Amino acid sequence: MKNKNAILVGISGGVDSAVCALKLKQEGYNVIGAMMKIYDGAIKTIANSCYGTDKTKEIEDARAICDKIGIEFHLIDCSREFDNLVFQHFKSEYKKGRTPNPCVLCNPLIKFDIFPKLARKQGILFDKFATGHYAKIEYDKKLSKYLLRQGINQKKDQSYFLYRLTQEQLKNIVFPLGGMQKDEVRQIAKENGLIVCDKTDSQDFFKGSYCDIIDALPNPGNIVHISGQVLGRHEGIFHYTIGQRKGLKIAWSKPLYVTGFNLTKNEVLVAEKEYTYSDELLADNLNWTYFDTVSDNLQLSAKIRSAGKKADCMVFPAGDTVRVKFTEPQNAITPGQAIVFYDGDVVVGGGTII
């Protein structure tokens, strides 16, 4: 078999990255496996929350996968950079009563930038970098641009998390699973005897009771209905997110949801379901992967959360921000989360909801 170019594969210890490496190896590429170490000290707690298991087990699984496939395995320590660039931002946002998405920040800054750079610094030679993301990259000759597209598996599509990738990064990335369904991936893993064939998918970072991690002491305050009635007490607004219903521990004639925060008064605001909907939002910290400049009003679709559906909208640029007007009201628009814009299945950009 002809030996093709070398590809570094980000191995997570899960089935997707395992099949990614296997497929590239079977296609004749010189595949090298590497895993990011992104935690140290307190960060280990939140890293375990993200992966849903002790990270030590993930490392063991990743090493076993590489041994089974017959490729090298390397552990790359990115914990200092992750702490400085992602985790500190994560803590800062929660203290402001916002709900950040660390994966959106981690991908362009750590996983697809510092991680491969540190691998090269350690003497690992490769031409391309691959991961098990469900997304596709295509080069458009007319535009002279690399296009980031949704994967065909709409339930597992991960393009939402990748909207901040640059043209230079897209040029050097390979997503072998973009045209596959999840059951196909698991079947390939099973047929090839990979120990992770039935392993539960890892989870994204989620909001929990991390008082010690985010350096925030319990800060009690009132839970207030939008009518002004005090319904209960909370131990800190960072325990809550827009649209949350469970865990409020308050009594009312109808189900209540978190609709916002009064930071000045340290209040969690709640209301009935209908008050969680809005047809408009503002976003900043914009990144356009498809356009060179955006000055005109745009008719696009957008996702306001990774697991949400695309919704038709108009985008009105205004300096460093955009105002987004949806055709239909959206539920629980959450400051700190990403809004990602699509033209069909092509990611054209995104920003942070403010």
Side-chain angles (χ1 to χ4, degrees):
M1 182 181 295
K2 182 180 179 180
N3 186 37
K4 298 182 180 181
N5 293 339
I7 297 183
L8 180 71
V9 175
I11 301 291
S12 68
V15 66
D16 296 328
S17 62
V19 172
C20 169
L22 176 66
K23 278 177 60 63
L24 292 171
K25 178 73 181 298
Q26 291 175 338
E27 291 172 9
Y29 289 97
N30 176 20
V31 178
I32 305 159
M35 185 179 196
M36 294 193 305
K37 178 186 176 184
I38 61 170
Y39 65 81
D40 191 17
I43 300 177
K44 182 175 181 179
T45 304
I46 200 165
N48 288 345
S49 297
C50 176
Y51 289 96
T53 184
D54 191 304
K55 196 63 176 160
T56 302
K57 179 63 166 59
E58 298 297 299
I59 296 173
E60 294 174 355
D61 287 350
R63 193 184 302 276
I65 289 166
C66 291
D67 288 343
K68 177 66 176 179
I69 296 173
I71 61 176
E72 299 175 21
F73 173 75
H74 301 268
L75 184 63
I76 310 297
D77 189 354
C78 304
S79 58
R80 183 179 64 179
E81 292 81 3
F82 181 83
D83 184 23
N84 292 335
L85 298 175
V86 179
F87 192 60
Q88 295 304 322
H89 173 78
F90 173 87
K91 295 194 294 184
S92 174
E93 287 290 277
Y94 271 143
K95 290 178 181 180
K96 297 174 183 175
R98 290 153 64 96
T99 305
N101 192 319
C103 296
V104 167
L105 200 58
C106 179
N107 280 326
L109 297 181
I110 308 296
K111 184 173 292 184
F112 293 97
D113 187 72
I114 287 172
F115 178 38
K117 284 179 179 177
L118 288 179
R120 285 195 169 96
K121 193 174 182 180
Q122 291 186 19
I124 303 172
L125 302 178
F126 58 94
D127 303 290
K128 298 280 187 178
F129 177 58
T131 68
H133 281 85
Y134 289 90
K136 296 189 290 184
I137 298 173
E138 297 177 4
Y139 184 70
D140 189 309
K141 292 183 179 179
K142 292 183 179 179
L143 296 173
S144 298
K145 285 182 179 294
Y146 289 87
L147 304 184
L148 174 63
R149 294 182 178 273
Q150 290 184 287
I152 65 168
N153 186 340
Q154 291 296 302
K155 290 185 178 180
K156 291 293 181 180
D157 170 58
Q158 293 170 302
S159 60
Y160 174 92
F161 298 107
L162 304 169
Y163 81 92
R164 299 197 67 83
L165 295 181
T166 66
Q167 282 292 306
E168 186 63 26
Q169 288 172 322
L170 292 172
K171 180 176 71 173
N172 295 297
I173 295 171
V174 180
F175 291 142
L177 307 189
M180 299 181 65
Q181 300 289 344
K182 185 73 177 193
D183 56 354
E184 295 180 75
V185 171
R186 290 198 181 278
Q187 184 61 32
I188 290 173
K190 186 175 183 179
E191 290 173 353
N192 286 271
L194 299 181
I195 60 172
V196 292
C197 61
D198 295 319
K199 190 172 185 178
T200 304
D201 290 344
S202 62
Q203 302 298 312
D204 303 322
F205 281 88
F206 66 93
K207 196 168 191 175
S209 301
Y210 298 123
C211 300
D212 55 333
I213 298 175
I214 66 175
D215 303 326
L217 295 173
N219 186 21
N222 289 328
I223 299 177
V224 183
H225 189 268
I226 58 169
S227 65
Q229 183 175 344
V230 176
L231 302 180
R233 297 283 287 173
H234 66 78
E235 292 300 315
I237 61 175
F238 49 84
H239 291 294
Y240 302 87
T241 190
I242 302 295
Q244 179 178 336
R245 176 186 173 185
K246 295 182 179 180
L248 299 181
K249 299 179 181 179
I250 54 178
W252 194 255
S253 58
K254 294 181 180 179
L256 295 178
Y257 301 79
V258 175
T259 58
F261 308 100
N262 186 325
L263 299 181
T264 303
K265 296 183 178 180
N266 190 31
E267 293 176 342
V268 175
L269 307 179
V270 296
E272 288 80 4
K273 181 75 171 179
E274 57 265 29
Y275 290 97
T276 65
Y277 285 87
S278 176
D279 63 357
E280 198 167 332
L281 65 79
L282 293 175
D284 65 1
N285 194 23
L286 302 167
N287 181 69
W288 299 105
T289 58
Y290 185 80
F291 305 109
D292 293 322
T293 59
V294 178
S295 56
D296 298 327
N297 302 338
L298 301 171
Q299 186 171 350
L300 300 168
S301 61
K303 293 175 70 171
I304 59 171
R305 58 182 58 87
S306 61
K309 295 182 179 180
K310 291 186 293 185
D312 292 337
C313 63
M314 288 293 297
V315 180
F316 304 95
D320 295 331
T321 67
V322 292
R323 180 171 65 89
V324 182
K325 181 76 171 178
F326 290 97
T327 303
E328 299 290 339
Q330 302 299 300
N331 184 37
I333 296 175
T334 306
Q337 287 285 291
I339 178 170
V340 180
F341 302 110
Y342 295 83
D343 183 2
D345 70 341
V346 176
V347 175
V348 300
T352 303
I353 298 170
I354 57 176

